[in-house]
């Protein structure tokens, strides 16, 4: 093994004069693996204890699911407890399930009475096919968004863009995009089937609904990273040395991949967990839909198996992304020769055009409805827009403009609170890359919907519960980004020698690490603001957030979705507000940015 090559996990060579290489155990290399195991175990225990944490009787829920009209007598409940082992107690039951799982038995469904494992494995195969198709769409979208940044960089004029296209694509909620594609291409044009699974044509619409938002996010991240890479000093040196554009472009791409590989892995994992809404809209028998159904029915064995498969995918895909990042960084990281980005300030008045336009349109919509009553049903059902009713009426005759305006305070306010909390958590956790490996991968594998179901099962549906649920799962991408940046900074020569110069840990963090991560991670957080708002809106859409008749954007979409074909304005207007908020957040985060 060459001196600069990465040793095997937990083992590294000792420096000896003998030609034979000696090895010593390095416990630090096992910290990420231990972190993954501990986090995975903690989540499994939490899910296993959910029926008892909720304070509800699992036997009563099962009885209602099996026979809703049966009288819940004590004899009937006792029979269910004895049949399913619920009288064993929570920890004893959990232990029995884990022992059975080691022997290939995931238990029996509390609802159907059949074995859990075959159905969940079959559903996982469906989700993997959908995820692979969506990933193809995401990669094509990413390439199209990055082409302008690559072209400008190769021409020697790297400059940031407003990010409007990528932000707008990222802001589209999967459930809305899926519904729009369903109505346009299946109902109106009748080009593709609206429901079903088993043929290639059944995959097209779900793949686009799931892959476009992911491609928009990756496109913006890679576009920013490419612009920063082309601003580094080595690019000018390579130009003067006569390297071709093809070689420089490939080198710039390889320069950007290491720090973004964790994000790519998280997006891939998120495709599986985030497919719940898409699978529901298109009636796809996938893992997300099956897990959500199990959680709603309190079918604990099926819920445990579904989340366990999701977490297993997270560990495998996250580990593969980290391995790819290590291979790409290679000798540069170990030798302490990571290049330092050249900071260039791009000024110009045009940078204010996009945020000013987005802010103006959003403010007009919000201010125009502040003086109107969002609760009063004084119009005809689904009344079309007019001068007196600019955005029309919803299904109960309420003013859509008023509900959007007043709902902006709720939706954007909750998103900002959640964003600030996740930003702080993400930076703090990301400063500990080894310890954070497990929580990041496992947390990202838990969709906000599942977290919302867990929180709602304990606290009940509420606005505060929605914020808690989204916060619990959305800090992971920011922590992963922070960890990647910390690893790169620690691999730079002038940082690696700081301990020999007497620089302590606190000064190292405050002087070198935090300044290197705060700005890019905050931009990343701002890019995720619409996604956070969409996650909150999705919980409201599924009835896990604020309760009716609150004028919240998710509830508004949920109430108007059945009328999408008859009254599209009832759905498109709140969606447009989310897109405007996304463009505003991303463009403002790029004002005055430096590369």
């Amino acid at each position: 093994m060459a001196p600069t090559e990465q040793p095997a996990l937990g083992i590294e060579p000792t420096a000896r004069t003998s030609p034979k290489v000696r090895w010593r155990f390095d416990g630090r290399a096992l910290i990420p693996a231990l972190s993954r195991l501990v986090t995975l175990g903690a989540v499994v225990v939490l899910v296993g204890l959910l029926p008892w944490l909720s304070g509800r009787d699992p036997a009563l829920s099962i009885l209602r699911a099996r026979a809703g009209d049966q009288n819940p007598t004590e004899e009937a409940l006792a029979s269910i407890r004895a049949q399913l082992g619920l009288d064993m107690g929570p920890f004893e039951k959990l232990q029995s399930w884990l022992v059975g799982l080691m022997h290939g038995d995931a238990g029996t469904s509390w609802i159907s009475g059949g074995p859990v494992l075959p159905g969940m494995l079959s559903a996982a195969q469906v989700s993997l096919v959908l995820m692979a198709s969506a990933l193809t769409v995401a990669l094509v979208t990413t390439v199209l968004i990055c082409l302008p940044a690559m072209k400008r960089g190769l021409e020697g004029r790297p400059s940031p863009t407003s990010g409007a296209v990528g932000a707008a694509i990222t802001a589209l909620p999967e459930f809305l995009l899926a519904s729009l594609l369903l109505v346009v291409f299946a109902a109106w044009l009748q080009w593709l089937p609206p429901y079903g699974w088993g043929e290639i044509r059944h995959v097209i619409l779900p793949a686009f609904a799931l892959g476009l938002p992911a491609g928009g996010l990756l496109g913006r991240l890679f576009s920013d990273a490419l612009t920063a890479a082309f601003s580094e000093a080595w690019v000018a040196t390579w130009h003067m040395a006569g390297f071709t554009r093809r070689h420089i472009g490939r080198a710039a791409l390889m320069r950007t991949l290491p720090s973004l590989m964790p994000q790519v892995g998280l997006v891939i994992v998120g495709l599986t967990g985030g497919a719940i809404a898409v699978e529901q809209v298109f009636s796809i028998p996938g893992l997300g839909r099956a897990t959500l159904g199990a959680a709603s029915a309190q079918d604990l064995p099926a819920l445990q198996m579904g989340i366990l498969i999701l977490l297993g995918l997270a560990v495998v895909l996250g580990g593969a992304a980290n391995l790819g990042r290590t291979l790409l960084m290679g000798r540069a990281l170990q030798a302490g020769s990571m290049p330092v980005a050249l900071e260039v300030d791009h000024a110009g008045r045009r940078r204010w055009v996009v945020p000013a336009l987005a802010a103006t349109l959003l403010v007009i919509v919000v201010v125009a409805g502040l003086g109107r009553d969002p609760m009063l049903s004084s119009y005809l059902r689904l009344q079309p827009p007019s001068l007196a009713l600019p955005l029309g009426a919803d299904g109960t005759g309420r003013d859509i403009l008023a509900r959007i305006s007043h709902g902006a305070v709720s939706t954007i306010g909750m998103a900002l609170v959640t964003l600030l909390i996740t930003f702080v958590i993400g930076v703090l956790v990301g400063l500990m890359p080894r310890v954070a490996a497990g929580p990041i991968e496992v947390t990202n594998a838990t969709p906000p919907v599942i977290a919302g179901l867990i929180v709602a099962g304990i606290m009940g549906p509420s606005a505060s519960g929605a914020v808690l649920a989204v916060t619990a799962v959305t800090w992971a991408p920011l922590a992963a980004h922070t960890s990647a940046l910390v690893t790169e900074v620690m691999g730079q020569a002038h940082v690696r020698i700081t301990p020999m110069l007497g620089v302590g840990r606190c000064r190292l963090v405050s002087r070198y690490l935090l300044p290197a991560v705060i700005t890019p991670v905050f931009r990343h957080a701002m890019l995720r603001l619409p996604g956070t708002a969409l996650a909150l809106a999705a919980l409201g859409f599924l009835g896990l957030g604020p309760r009716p008749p609150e004028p919240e954007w998710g509830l508004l979409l949920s109430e108007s979705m059945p009328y999408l074909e008859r009254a599209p304005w009832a759905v498109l207007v709140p969606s447009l507000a989310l897109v405007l908020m996304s463009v505003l957040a991303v463009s403002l985060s790029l004002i005055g940015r430096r590369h």
Side-chain angles (χ1 to χ4, degrees):
M1 174 179 289
T4 57
E5 292 180 342
Q6 181 70 24
L9 177 63
I11 303 294
E12 65 178 21
T14 57
R16 300 289 184 184
T17 56
S18 171
K20 293 185 177 182
V21 178
R22 291 177 172 268
W23 302 90
R24 63 179 175 85
F25 179 77
D26 183 14
R28 295 177 302 173
L30 291 181
I31 293 179
L34 181 61
S35 173
R36 295 184 181 97
L37 290 177
V38 171
T39 307
L40 179 62
V43 173
V44 171
V45 170
L46 175 63
V47 174
L49 297 179
L50 178 60
W52 287 267
L53 292 175
S54 65
R56 302 167 184 166
D57 186 357
L60 180 59
S61 301
I62 296 170
L63 180 63
R64 289 175 176 173
R66 291 183 175 180
D69 55 348
Q70 182 176 346
N71 186 24
T73 62
E74 186 58 37
E75 291 76 10
L77 297 177
S79 175
I80 292 178
R81 295 189 189 100
Q83 178 185 358
L84 300 176
L86 296 177
D87 52 353
M88 295 166 48
F91 291 102
E92 188 179 358
K93 178 64 177 176
L94 180 63
Q95 180 182 4
S96 174
W97 177 77
L98 291 174
V99 172
L101 189 62
M102 295 176 62
H103 293 84
D105 180 14
T108 302
S109 170
W110 287 0
I111 306 302
S112 66
V116 167
L117 187 59
M120 282 298 180
L121 290 179
S122 177
Q125 293 176 359
V126 173
S127 291
L128 286 174
V129 172
L130 175 60
M131 180 181 69
S133 304
L135 181 60
T136 302
V137 174
L139 292 178
V140 173
T141 305
T142 301
V143 171
L144 293 177
I145 294 177
C146 291
L147 283 179
M150 176 69 75
K151 182 175 182 296
R152 288 192 303 271
L154 292 176
E155 293 174 351
R157 48 184 186 88
S159 60
T161 63
S162 65
V165 176
I169 296 176
T170 305
L172 293 174
E174 287 87 357
F175 59 86
L176 173 62
L177 184 56
S179 299
L180 290 175
L181 293 176
L182 179 68
V183 169
V184 174
F185 293 98
W188 290 353
L189 300 178
Q190 297 183 353
W191 290 352
L192 295 167
Y195 307 108
W197 189 258
E199 301 180 13
I200 295 180
R201 59 197 187 114
H202 290 139
V203 184
I204 298 176
L205 292 182
F208 273 92
L210 188 59
L212 283 178
L217 174 60
L218 289 178
R220 281 306 308 148
L221 292 176
F222 272 97
S223 179
D224 291 347
L226 282 173
T227 301
F230 279 117
S231 299
E232 293 175 347
W234 64 268
V235 177
T237 303
W238 282 37
H239 275 294
M240 291 185 293
F243 282 89
T244 64
R245 288 190 174 186
R246 180 170 61 87
H247 285 88
I248 296 176
R250 184 174 60 183
L253 181 61
M254 296 296 291
R255 174 72 177 92
T256 64
L257 281 175
S259 62
L260 294 179
M261 280 302 295
Q263 298 301 318
V264 174
L266 291 174
V267 169
I268 294 175
V269 173
L271 288 177
T272 303
I276 295 177
V278 175
E279 291 175 357
Q280 284 188 323
V281 170
F282 292 99
S283 298
I284 298 174
L287 179 62
R289 189 180 180 211
T291 306
L292 178 61
S296 300
Q298 289 194 343
D299 190 352
L300 180 58
L303 177 62
Q304 288 174 317
M305 195 66 241
I307 291 185
L308 188 63
I309 295 176
L310 286 173
L311 298 182
L313 287 173
V315 172
V316 172
L317 296 176
N322 290 333
L323 176 61
R325 177 172 177 267
T326 300
L327 294 175
L328 287 170
M329 297 178 80
R331 300 172 183 268
L333 178 62
Q334 299 178 32
S337 58
M338 291 296 298
V340 181
L342 176 65
E343 295 190 350
V344 180
D345 189 16
H346 297 278
R349 295 181 179 180
R350 290 184 299 175
R351 60 183 180 175
W352 292 99
V353 173
V354 173
L357 180 60
T360 300
L361 294 176
L362 192 57
V363 168
I364 288 175
V365 173
V366 173
V367 172
L370 287 179
R372 308 169 75 96
D373 191 342
M375 303 292 185
L376 185 61
S377 299
S378 57
Y379 300 95
L380 298 177
R381 293 180 65 253
L382 303 178
Q383 183 173 331
S386 62
L387 292 179
L389 196 64
L391 300 182
D394 62 9
T396 59
R398 294 172 297 191
D399 188 347
I400 293 179
L401 175 60
R403 293 186 64 76
I404 290 178
S405 177
H406 289 266
V409 178
S410 173
T411 302
I412 299 178
M414 288 193 302
L416 286 174
V417 170
T418 304
L419 175 67
L420 293 176
I421 298 174
T422 55
F423 171 68
V424 173
I425 295 176
V427 171
L428 293 178
V429 175
L431 290 175
M432 303 175 289
R434 291 189 179 91
V435 177
I440 289 174
E441 295 170 5
V442 173
T443 300
N444 191 74
T446 306
V449 174
I450 296 296
L453 287 169
I454 295 175
V455 173
I458 299 174
M459 301 175 51
S462 64
S464 58
V467 171
L468 178 60
V470 176
T471 300
V473 297
T474 53
W475 59 266
L478 301 180
H481 194 181
T482 302
S483 298
L485 293 174
V486 166
T487 303
E488 286 198 30
V489 172
M490 294 299 294
Q492 295 173 354
H494 71 283
V495 177
R496 294 189 64 170
I497 66 173
T498 53
M500 292 182 288
L501 300 178
V503 177
R505 180 66 180 176
C506 292
R507 180 164 176 78
L508 175 64
V509 172
S510 62
R511 177 66 177 83
Y512 296 97
L513 296 184
L514 284 180
V517 304
I518 289 294
T519 300
V521 174
F522 182 74
R523 288 199 301 266
H524 184 185
M526 293 300 293
L527 183 62
R528 287 189 173 271
L529 177 61
T532 302
L534 295 178
L536 293 168
L539 293 182
F541 179 82
L542 296 173
L544 302 175
R547 308 301 298 162
E550 290 296 321
E552 194 268 336
W553 285 352
L555 285 176
L556 180 58
L557 289 174
S558 176
E559 295 166 351
S560 302
M561 193 62 70
Y563 314 111
L564 177 61
E565 188 172 359
R566 295 170 52 193
W569 59 84
V571 174
L572 296 179
V573 174
S575 302
L576 177 61
L578 288 173
V579 172
L580 288 175
M581 182 184 63
S582 170
V583 174
L584 175 62
V586 176
S587 56
L588 284 178
S589 70
L590 297 173
I591 292 292
R593 71 174 288 182
R594 292 147 62 106
H595 296 285

